[in-house]
Amino acid sequence: MTEQATPKTSYDVFISYYQNTGKDFAQCLKTGLTEFERKVFLDKDDIPKTVETDSDEFRKYIDNALRESTNFVLIMTVGFNKRKEIARELKLAFESGKKKFFMKQDDLATTDLAIEIDNKQIDLSKYEFISFTNETELLRKLVSALLGKIGQTKENMFVQQARRMITTEG
């Protein structure tokens, strides 16, 4: 099989999540942020279906998207800290100096926020994180955290849209 070049596209937000427990949260973020005209990378939506999951080509798409993203969002749900791919993405986010947003599901104990990177335990509870209980709250809190940090040229429109959404959806 000949290896295809992965296209370089810039993103406002890269979403890292555990498929088994964070898929719905990740999809909600992508949908909500896209409504605010933000370019969001979500692996299942933005990597061609012909690329095999867990292949080197799949990882190249992930790495390129992360490098080309302004912000890195980690959705911390049950089991996220046991996933090697999430640890790999987090390591790359730290190495590339991305602005990081750690979103912690309320059900997750702070003792479950340790993740192993390069045989070292990293305690994410020592970093600032934002707790959430459901998809709406996650989106509302992330939008609030992102205000002023993405798309300075359209911030007024972005702020207006965010306020309308927060008011109508809670």
Side-chain angles (χ1 to χ4, degrees):
M1 175 169 124
T2 56
E3 194 171 308
Q4 298 175 338
T6 55
K8 292 222 184 241
T9 304
S10 63
Y11 298 94
D12 296 308
V13 177
F14 178 99
I15 301 173
S16 181
Y17 66 103
Y18 177 33
Q19 178 74 24
N20 289 354
T21 59
K23 177 177 63 173
D24 292 340
F25 296 117
Q27 192 61 61
C28 175
L29 283 184
K30 169 124 188 195
T31 300
L33 292 172
T34 301
E35 287 177 11
F36 294 129
E37 298 179 12
R38 299 297 160 219
K39 186 122 174 92
V40 180
F41 179 84
L42 186 64
D43 59 353
K44 299 297 180 187
D45 292 348
D46 296 303
I47 297 176
K49 305 294 183 233
T50 56
V51 176
E52 188 177 320
T53 305
D54 296 329
S55 67
D56 287 341
E57 187 178 7
F58 190 87
R59 285 183 191 87
K60 284 180 184 174
Y61 272 93
I62 296 280
D63 293 352
N64 286 339
L66 204 154
R67 283 188 191 100
E68 298 299 320
S69 295
T70 305
N71 300 286
F72 175 84
V73 173
L74 174 59
I75 302 174
M76 299 184 294
T77 56
V78 173
F80 88 96
N81 57 340
K82 306 294 185 217
R83 307 300 304 164
K84 290 180 182 176
E85 282 303 305
I86 291 176
R88 202 176 69 71
E89 292 167 5
L90 184 57
K91 177 183 176 186
L92 185 55
F94 275 114
E95 289 174 350
S96 57
K98 300 297 173 197
K99 174 73 176 159
K100 290 168 278 314
F101 295 90
F102 299 124
M103 311 302 291
K104 179 193 156 298
Q105 187 177 21
D106 275 343
D107 297 353
L108 195 63
T110 53
T111 55
D112 294 327
L113 299 184
I115 189 166
E116 187 175 307
I117 299 176
D118 291 339
N119 297 316
K120 292 181 185 174
Q121 286 290 321
I122 307 296
D123 184 0
L124 296 177
S125 71
K126 299 202 184 300
Y127 292 85
E128 183 178 339
F129 60 82
I130 300 168
S131 293
F132 67 93
T133 55
N134 57 45
E135 287 92 347
T136 302
E137 185 179 31
L138 170 63
L139 179 58
R140 180 177 53 81
K141 287 184 172 184
L142 181 61
V143 166
S144 180
L146 286 170
L147 288 176
K149 293 181 177 56
I150 59 176
Q152 294 296 322
T153 58
K154 292 188 177 181
E155 182 176 341
N156 289 338
M157 184 178 80
F158 181 62
V159 170
Q160 290 169 2
Q161 289 174 329
R163 284 195 181 119
R164 272 194 302 265
M165 186 178 150
I166 291 166
T167 302
T168 48
E169 294 186 23

